Amino acid sequence: MIDKIRELEKLSRLLDPKASQRAKWNSEVLDYANTFLNNLDTSKAFIQSEENGKAIYHLDIEEKATALAPLLDSSTKNIDGVGINPASGGHMGYIPGGGLYPSALGDFMAAVSNRYAGVFYAAPGAVRLENMLVKWMCGLMGYPEHAIGNLTSGGSIANLMALVTAREVHKLKARDFERSVIYLTEQAHHSILKAIRISGLSEAQLRYIPLDENLKLSPSHLEKAIIADKKNGLIPFYINTSFGTTNTGTVDPLKPIAAIAKKHKLWLHVDAAYGGFFKLVHKLDSKFKGIEEADSITLDPHKTLFLPYGTGAVLIKDKAHLLKAYHCLADYMQDVIGKEDEISPADISAEQTKHFRGMRVWLPLKLFGLKPFRAALEEKLYLTRYFYEEIQKIAGFEVGPEPELSVAIFRYVPKGKNADEFNKTLLEAIQQDGRIFLSSTNIHHVFWIRVAVVQFRTHLEQIELLLDIIKKYVKLNT
């Protein structure tokens, strides 16, 4: 048996490479990263391909080892070389992610040490760091000292956690679900509908509140609906609002909605996944009035803090509410009892096994400081405003509501042609060109093209390029 153990040990030790091997891999990966970043100025934001990375299948998992060089080469061709390039300043479709370089370094550090950031006992420093980041976000939103939250994989999980917390706080049982009422608008992010389904509330009543002329939730219609539902023996319990809708970047009127929620004792959630970190821009302070009164807030640092995908956050105003929904102990965790100076993330989350996300957030915030983040966000506001004004100077274009944040919608109305079809073709032409990537949406059955200025590498150069591409297309096709 000893001989067998020794034989297996020799092979298993290959999983722990020596310094020389690590240095070689480090050099190759660093060259790959630098080449990718150095070529961004000339790389396309969107690349269409018939193959769409199929050659990656040639590198399926097998018994024998493979050198790193061909793996990096395949990654460059079959992953980086097709589809949307989210690192490009030309990516202005959907709500772009960021990908700050120090975040990659933070992920590397977190993966190398592999700290388990779920329980204080296991990694007290990591838990303190993540809780410190959450406290900073709570303070930014105007929450009190006893507020708490959790770093999540994104806004979808954050929205789910908020809804489940509200369900538990309102003590809703399965027998109540058919009479429970959730209030939202047609502009709510689709992750809200997913959260309703996953949380077991599919049988709840969904009350879609009418929008005003600026696509904002109407407080007067909201209160009328709540009063009517109460009279009909229903259980109103949850209001979902948006601080920056995905379609148009619209901000719901939080202050009057918060007053309604308080008056009727409903849970108020603000989905600020896209817009929340615009709180760093002081000129927008008035738009945030009322957010501090929400029971829960969703934030997405991978959007307007420009961090890599997989970085979200949920904030809960009352710590006891989050503990009520998620705290649970197992026998094998008995060693941690009485040894925690801080709340463990696993006790206030759906996750037990938890990646140390905090390092990818903390490192860039500390290395850069907040000042360039504020500047970048304000720059995006001005760039969007500039595009909104310039596109209207081109004959035939109409625009949607005045942008409140960094999303604008526009469309061309040709004479004697179907406007929707023309704009679909225009969008396809922009995507085919590839230097800029935009997306579209439908509002009240009308096709609109969206421009979302969120990527930190998007500057005036990219906006001017977009306007030039549009002008040339319209000139050739009208």
Side-chain angles (χ1 to χ4, degrees):
M1 182 180 291
I2 294 296
D3 289 342
K4 183 63 175 178
I5 291 173
R6 295 294 187 196
E7 179 186 347
L8 293 171
E9 179 183 338
K10 185 178 179 180
L11 284 172
S12 67
R13 280 185 178 273
L14 293 174
L15 299 176
D16 190 13
K18 301 300 181 185
S20 59
Q21 180 65 75
R22 296 200 304 270
K24 183 177 184 298
W25 284 344
N26 290 346
S27 177
E28 291 178 86
V29 170
L30 191 59
D31 284 346
Y32 155 81
N34 284 330
T35 299
F36 176 82
L37 292 173
N38 292 339
N39 290 334
L40 274 178
D41 287 344
T42 55
S43 298
K44 288 190 173 185
F46 183 62
I47 301 173
Q48 299 186 59
S49 163
E50 290 184 6
E51 290 298 309
N52 276 328
K54 286 181 181 177
I56 201 74
Y57 289 146
H58 299 156
L59 292 168
D60 202 355
I61 309 304
E62 54 191 1
E63 285 292 322
K64 66 179 181 179
T66 306
L68 180 57
L71 304 182
L72 295 175
D73 182 61
S74 185
S75 295
T76 298
K77 294 174 181 175
N78 299 303
I79 298 176
D80 300 335
V82 291
I84 300 171
N85 180 0
S88 168
H91 181 14
M92 289 178 263
Y94 309 112
I95 300 293
L100 291 170
Y101 186 72
S103 288
L105 300 179
D107 271 350
F108 176 75
M109 292 167 62
V112 166
S113 67
N114 198 30
R115 294 292 176 186
Y116 170 54
V119 174
F120 180 83
Y121 173 72
V127 169
R128 290 187 196 277
L129 186 147
E130 292 207 351
N131 286 350
M132 177 177 69
L133 290 167
V134 168
K135 283 290 185 183
W136 170 70
M137 294 178 198
C138 286
L140 188 64
M141 295 297 118
Y143 265 11
E145 275 294 313
H146 60 266
I148 201 167
N150 197 260
L151 296 183
T152 69
S153 62
S156 295
I157 297 301
N159 284 332
L160 173 62
M161 287 181 62
L163 181 59
V164 169
T165 304
R167 185 195 69 194
E168 294 303 297
V169 169
H170 280 262
K171 299 179 181 178
L172 297 178
K173 306 300 180 186
R175 61 178 176 270
D176 303 317
F177 290 174
E178 286 187 350
R179 295 189 300 122
S180 301
V181 189
I182 297 169
Y183 301 87
L184 68 167
T185 75
E186 62 183 29
Q187 293 298 307
H189 193 269
H190 69 279
S191 65
I192 304 299
L193 300 179
K194 278 190 178 182
I196 290 168
R197 188 189 313 156
I198 296 168
S199 63
L201 290 165
S202 292
E203 294 176 330
Q205 306 288 319
L206 301 188
R207 199 71 72 228
Y208 286 91
I209 303 302
L211 302 165
D212 65 17
E213 66 277 6
N214 293 313
L215 302 179
K216 298 173 182 284
L217 187 153
S218 167
S220 60
H221 284 93
L222 171 65
E223 185 159 33
K224 287 176 184 176
I226 293 171
I227 292 171
D229 287 335
K230 283 185 172 181
K231 285 182 178 178
N232 289 326
L234 300 178
I235 310 172
F237 85 101
Y238 195 85
I239 303 171
N240 182 82
T241 61
S242 298
F243 195 99
T245 60
T246 301
N247 270 342
T248 62
T250 299
V251 177
D252 286 330
L254 301 181
K255 194 71 176 178
I257 295 172
I260 293 168
K262 185 176 181 180
K263 177 180 176 182
H264 295 281
K265 299 180 180 179
L266 272 69
W267 185 281
L268 175 59
H269 177 65
V270 178
D271 182 357
Y274 156 51
F277 285 105
F278 278 102
K279 188 68 166 64
L280 291 169
V281 181
H282 296 306
K283 64 182 289 184
L284 295 180
D285 282 350
S286 61
K287 293 186 181 297
F288 281 88
K289 287 182 178 178
I291 198 168
E292 72 283 354
E293 297 180 46
D295 295 289
S296 56
I297 302 171
T298 285
L299 298 173
D300 251 356
H302 67 221
K303 292 185 173 72
T304 37
L305 272 188
F306 317 121
L307 303 183
Y309 289 126
T311 319
V314 61
L315 310 181
I316 305 293
K317 191 172 185 179
D318 190 329
K319 173 172 61 177
H321 291 161
L322 203 52
L323 285 166
K324 178 181 176 62
Y326 293 101
H327 187 249
C328 186
L329 282 177
D331 291 339
Y332 68 87
M333 296 295 291
Q334 64 185 16
D335 296 339
V336 312
I337 298 174
K339 298 177 182 177
E340 300 201 327
D341 294 348
E342 300 221 10
I343 289 179
S344 293
D347 287 343
I348 50 173
S349 168
E351 293 181 294
Q352 186 67 31
T353 300
K354 190 175 182 302
H355 169 64
F356 181 21
R357 296 187 182 100
M359 190 59 75
R360 61 158 58 179
V361 183
W362 180 68
L363 204 61
L365 287 173
K366 293 303 293 179
L367 287 176
F368 294 134
L370 288 177
K371 192 172 184 178
F373 288 91
R374 294 185 198 275
L377 287 170
E378 190 168 6
E379 178 196 20
K380 306 317 163 202
L381 296 174
Y382 280 110
L383 288 174
T384 308
R385 167 66 61 178
Y386 176 75
F387 175 83
Y388 186 77
E389 293 173 353
E390 292 299 309
I391 196 69
Q392 293 180 73
K393 295 177 183 178
I394 306 173
F397 277 95
E398 64 179 20
V399 293
E402 188 173 320
E404 293 190 87
L405 300 176
S406 64
V407 174
I409 57 173
F410 67 99
R411 68 196 305 260
Y412 187 79
V413 183
K415 295 179 181 177
K417 294 183 180 179
N418 182 291
D420 282 1
E421 291 304 318
F422 185 93
N423 285 282
K424 287 176 185 177
T425 307
L426 169 58
L427 178 62
E428 288 170 2
I430 294 170
Q431 293 177 348
Q432 185 67 41
D433 176 273
R435 290 174 293 172
I436 301 293
F437 178 78
L438 300 185
S439 59
S440 66
T441 189
N442 275 283
I443 299 176
H444 299 150
H445 306 293
V446 175
F447 184 94
W448 293 88
I449 302 175
R450 296 172 64 258
V451 56
V453 189
V454 182
Q455 228 291 343
F456 67 95
R457 293 187 177 98
T458 302
H459 304 295
L460 185 59
E461 175 186 352
Q462 283 76 29
I463 300 299
E464 297 284 20
L465 173 59
L466 171 59
L467 288 165
D468 185 57
I469 292 170
I470 291 171
K471 288 175 185 176
K472 287 179 178 177
Y473 179 85
V474 170
K475 185 177 180 180
L476 289 171
N477 292 277
T478 55

